Amino acid sequence: MRELIDQTIFDLMETLYLDIAELTFNFYSDAQAIAAIAMLLYFALEAYKMIAGDKTIEIMPLMRPFALALVILLWEPFIEVMNFPIKVVNDTAKTMYSAQIDMVEHGHVERLGLIEQVAKKMSEDTGDFEQVKDETQDKDWMEKLGIDLSPLLDKMKGYYLMLTAQINFAFMRLFEYIVIIIFQFCIYIIFLFQIIFAAILVILGPFSFALSIFPGFRDSYLTWIGRYISVGLYSTIAYIIMTISFVLVRYGQEREIEVLKAVLENEELFIAYVGSSSGHISFYLVSLLMAALAMLCIPVISTWIINTTGVSQAFSSVARTGTGLIK
């Protein structure tokens, strides 16, 4: 796994998000039936009020059910109209992201290459350890001959330390792999939730418009529009967060690349690096973790732009459920 972010997955998710409208026909006829019944009841109630003299004849209020029913009949074009401004904003944010990801991916690959060189050099030193170990198999008879084995034993101790350092280095590489997996998971899960939430809103959206004909659910369609825009902005906010986070990631990459190059050129620095008790936890990994945590805040951030709480509460409930299952 040499890629920090798999662009193919992004392209797949974007295609799925734009093709959601094709899923609406499963409940399309049911929503039309509810809209027809709601319009019939609404007109009957309004006609009764006018006949009883409680209300004067008004034309514009009667146009509202027709407008809502027209949206249901033209649902797919309506979704395309809703997606147009979201896509424009998303493309702008994606352009910002694209300018950063190429440099970050290049630094990621270069850093992995240097780490592999360090690991290769440690393996070579471990091979020397096996040779020294064979030379000490005949320790008893060599001591009887008066041969001083102290330099050889000191060298062997050094190789033991190198072997221990190699084990620690392997654990730290495993930790780095886990951090990258967490980073990718937090990014991909946001885009996946965007697709799931948007699909639910698009599939069941006609019901919100149909129920809006009833006075008790008058603002249901406005709530639906707010939530759909809020979900649509997930990818835009994600690209903005990744663009900002990649500035920190690039800084961490550049500093660590400088260290790795110096370590490979200087034997003393190499020994100090592999034997470091700090565990090689770099700002690069810290910045990836910070970016991953920032991605999980997107459902809340989207409500700052469009004032709606339903989707963020749903995401929080899913997150709490997942945490509970892990525990």
Side-chain angles (χ1 to χ4, degrees):
M1 184 191 64
R2 300 189 66 88
E3 290 185 343
L4 190 61
I5 294 179
D6 191 345
Q7 189 60 40
T8 304
I9 296 180
F10 273 3
D11 295 337
L12 173 62
M13 290 185 176
E14 184 175 357
T15 302
L16 289 175
Y17 179 76
L18 295 177
D19 293 342
I20 287 175
E22 298 178 359
L23 304 174
T24 59
F25 297 102
N26 294 326
F27 298 94
Y28 194 63
S29 58
D30 297 335
Q32 287 179 326
I34 293 176
I37 295 173
M39 289 181 66
L40 180 62
L41 294 176
Y42 179 83
F43 287 137
L45 180 61
E46 292 297 316
Y48 176 78
K49 290 180 180 178
M50 295 177 186
I51 293 174
D54 294 337
K55 189 176 183 180
T56 59
I57 298 177
E58 298 178 357
I59 301 301
M60 294 306 296
L62 298 178
M63 299 298 293
R64 183 173 177 274
F66 283 109
L68 294 172
L70 186 63
V71 171
I72 297 174
L73 292 174
L74 301 175
W75 185 248
E76 189 170 353
F78 174 74
I79 295 298
E80 293 179 358
V81 172
M82 291 290 297
N83 284 336
F84 178 75
I86 296 175
K87 188 176 185 301
V88 170
V89 177
N90 185 63
D91 289 343
T92 304
K94 190 174 182 179
T95 302
M96 298 167 52
Y97 157 82
S98 300
Q100 292 284 337
I101 186 60
D102 292 338
M103 292 182 288
V104 170
E105 286 287 359
H106 177 75
H108 177 68
V109 173
E110 182 180 2
R111 176 181 173 275
L112 284 181
L114 292 173
I115 290 178
E116 288 176 0
Q117 291 182 35
V118 172
K120 182 179 179 181
K121 187 173 182 180
M122 294 179 67
S123 298
E124 293 174 352
D125 290 341
T126 306
D128 293 339
F129 160 73
E130 295 295 336
Q131 181 179 355
V132 173
K133 182 179 178 181
D134 293 337
E135 294 176 0
T136 58
Q137 294 296 325
D138 300 324
K139 175 183 175 182
D140 293 336
W141 69 266
M142 293 179 71
E143 287 181 347
K144 292 178 180 179
L145 295 176
I147 300 175
D148 186 10
L149 295 178
S150 298
L152 189 62
L153 292 176
D154 292 339
K155 189 175 182 181
M156 188 174 180
K157 291 178 182 178
Y159 285 128
Y160 268 119
L161 294 177
M162 184 62 67
L163 182 61
T164 303
Q166 186 177 19
I167 295 174
N168 294 335
F169 190 75
F171 276 113
M172 290 316 304
R173 294 191 68 184
L174 176 62
F175 174 74
E176 177 183 331
Y177 179 80
I178 294 174
V179 169
I180 294 177
I181 289 295
I182 294 173
F183 172 74
Q184 293 180 337
F185 174 80
C186 291
I187 291 177
Y188 298 152
I189 197 66
I190 286 296
F191 284 87
L192 178 61
F193 272 116
Q194 181 187 31
I195 295 173
I196 293 174
F197 290 155
I200 294 173
L201 288 171
V202 169
I203 293 172
L204 301 179
F207 290 101
S208 296
F209 282 79
L211 292 175
S212 295
I213 298 174
F214 293 110
F217 301 93
R218 186 177 182 86
D219 295 330
S220 295
Y221 76 100
L222 294 177
T223 303
W224 182 92
I225 292 174
R227 288 177 177 172
Y228 187 78
I229 295 176
S230 177
V231 170
L233 292 176
Y234 276 19
S235 56
T236 301
I237 299 172
Y239 285 131
I240 293 174
I241 289 178
M242 284 190 290
T243 301
I244 297 173
S245 300
F246 283 164
V247 176
L248 300 176
V249 172
R250 284 177 55 200
Y251 173 82
Q253 284 179 340
E254 292 172 357
R255 298 288 79 77
E256 189 160 351
I257 287 173
E258 291 177 0
V259 171
L260 289 171
K261 287 182 177 179
V263 163
L264 290 171
E265 295 173 356
N266 189 303
E267 189 68 25
E268 293 182 359
L269 290 178
F270 176 79
I271 296 175
Y273 179 80
V274 297
S276 174
S277 60
S278 62
H280 315 297
I281 298 177
S282 64
F283 182 73
Y284 171 66
L285 298 181
V286 174
S287 60
L288 289 180
L289 287 175
M290 290 191 297
L293 294 177
M295 293 295 293
L296 298 180
C297 299
I298 289 177
V300 177
I301 297 174
S302 66
T303 61
W304 298 351
I305 304 170
I306 301 297
N307 188 18
T308 177
T309 58
V311 175
S312 62
Q313 289 178 350
F315 184 86
S316 299
S317 299
V318 172
R320 287 196 298 268
T321 303
T323 304
L325 291 175
I326 294 175
K327 292 180 179 180

